[in-house]
Amino acid sequence: MTRPAVAGSRTELAELLDRSGSRVALVPTMGALHDGHASLLARARKEAGPDGRVVASVFVNPLQFGAGEDLDRYPRTFDLDLDVCAREGVDVVFAPTVDEVYPGGDPLVTVDPGPLGDLLEGEVRPGHFRGVLTVVAKLFGLVRPDVAVFGEKDYQQLVLVRRMVADLCLGLDVVGAETWRDPDGLALSSRNRYLSDDERRSALALSRALRAAVERAAYGLPAARWAAMAVLRDEPGVELDYLAITDPDLGTLEPHADTERPARVLVAARVGTTRLIDNLPLTLGTTEGS
Ligand code: PAF
């Protein structure tokens, strides 16, 4: 198992990233890598091809954390992250310092996520997506990948990155990879490690609620929503931020018009002091009765 080369600066990255005409695939991460990230890295390898280069970035981006959020306690497990990257055949790990990414302090020019950045996650976490898109744009500029892989678990982030790449003509492919789950349904997240055993049991209500919505989707949006809410109401350990059913093809995540077409059900909630998000695809039907 070969350890990947580690670049801490832009110069090292440029030196280590031998392009020689091969495809470069990037997986941006904030570290604390788990099996979900491993699946993104495996997907990146597939996208890059055997002769291509896979780059993983590990950077806890202060710009996307609000006041009172978990920036300081966000898990940092760099040595273990390198093991995961080695197992998945990553060629280069880009792990810059905050000063390297933001040499002059907070940047004066940032990426405005537009109205989609104010919905759902953006409503609860103002400024979050400006921080995400700004660092992702910087990483794209530094690594210049042909393709970047993002997890579907952060669905709104994925939609926004796709919009940024299209609207700003950034000229790369963005691939969304399916959410990785524990056998009991909990979506893998670096933040799961904050959960006590009891909280983890409560957190299972999120994926149960999403599955309930999927099961009732044939009866239309109100029935799907009602089924999900019934599960969440039954779990006192979960404090709901939002449950939304939207049309992913709209690229806006605005409320869904109730017609027979693919949609996404998204949930965000606090379990203890931990904030979790999850989502699933579903197709809303028009079957009579509920
Ligand atoms: O999804 C994440 O881990 C982060 O939001 C990202 C894309 C690495 C940007 O900091």
Side-chain angles (χ1 to χ4, degrees):
M1 202 165 61
T2 320
R3 297 280 268 189
V6 177
S9 67
R10 300 158 187 236
T11 322
E12 281 167 5
L13 179 67
E15 279 164 12
L16 288 171
L17 191 52
D18 160 26
R19 296 171 183 278
S20 48
S22 59
R23 215 164 141 77
V24 175
L26 169 68
V27 181
T29 83
M30 297 205 299
L33 303 186
H34 48 63
D35 286 353
H37 292 110
S39 75
L40 302 184
L41 296 168
R43 179 65 188 267
R45 168 54 63 204
K46 213 166 136 199
E47 294 291 330
D51 301 327
R53 298 281 176 267
V54 173
V55 181
S57 62
V58 174
F59 178 64
V60 182
N61 173 34
L63 212 61
Q64 70 188 74
F65 287 78
E69 290 189 352
D70 58 346
L71 173 62
D72 291 337
R73 72 164 179 153
Y74 197 84
R76 287 155 171 92
T77 58
F78 192 60
D79 283 344
L80 296 175
D81 294 347
L82 286 184
D83 291 343
V84 176
C85 290
R87 274 201 302 278
E88 297 305 327
V90 170
D91 298 294
V92 178
V93 171
F94 180 43
T97 59
V98 173
D99 283 348
E100 188 68 28
V101 177
Y102 301 116
D106 280 358
L108 291 178
V109 176
T110 56
V111 179
D112 181 351
L116 175 51
D118 294 330
L119 300 173
L120 305 177
E121 280 305 281
E123 198 174 341
V124 185
R125 306 181 67 188
H128 171 66
F129 287 119
R130 177 181 297 278
V132 170
L133 292 189
T134 301
V135 82
V136 169
K138 278 188 162 243
L139 291 168
F140 287 171
L142 290 165
V143 177
R144 286 183 287 120
D146 300 288
V147 55
V149 182
F150 291 82
E152 284 187 347
K153 192 180 83 63
D154 294 288
Y155 198 76
Q156 191 173 2
Q157 169 174 284
L158 173 62
V159 170
L160 272 163
V161 169
R162 284 202 164 116
R163 283 306 289 249
M164 173 176 77
V165 167
D167 291 356
L168 303 184
C169 307
L170 298 185
L172 68 142
D173 297 327
V174 176
V175 171
E178 212 178 303
T179 302
W180 209 254
R181 295 177 185 280
D182 278 336
D184 58 11
L186 188 70
L188 294 198
S189 160
S190 302
R191 291 188 167 98
N192 289 353
R193 68 190 74 198
Y194 301 151
L195 299 169
S196 67
D197 288 349
D198 280 350
E199 288 171 344
R200 195 183 177 290
R201 266 189 294 278
S202 298
L204 291 176
L206 270 67
S207 53
R208 267 206 317 277
L210 297 178
R211 284 201 306 275
V214 172
E215 277 161 23
R216 300 303 288 173
Y219 297 98
L221 188 146
R225 193 181 160 77
W226 192 90
M229 289 302 290
V231 173
L232 294 166
R233 264 194 303 267
D234 260 9
E235 180 45 73
V238 168
E239 199 186 316
L240 185 65
D241 275 343
Y242 60 79
L243 177 98
I245 299 179
T246 72
D247 182 344
D249 295 334
L250 294 175
T252 61
L253 296 183
E254 271 163 6
H256 192 281
D258 193 7
T259 55
E260 202 154 337
R261 55 193 301 180
R264 277 262 152 187
V265 52
L266 302 103
V267 67
R270 272 162 229 280
V271 181
T273 56
T274 308
R275 192 158 181 286
L276 298 174
I277 58 175
D278 198 358
N279 67 84
L280 277 180
L282 77 177
T283 303
L284 293 166
T286 50
T287 307
E288 286 297 311
S290 61

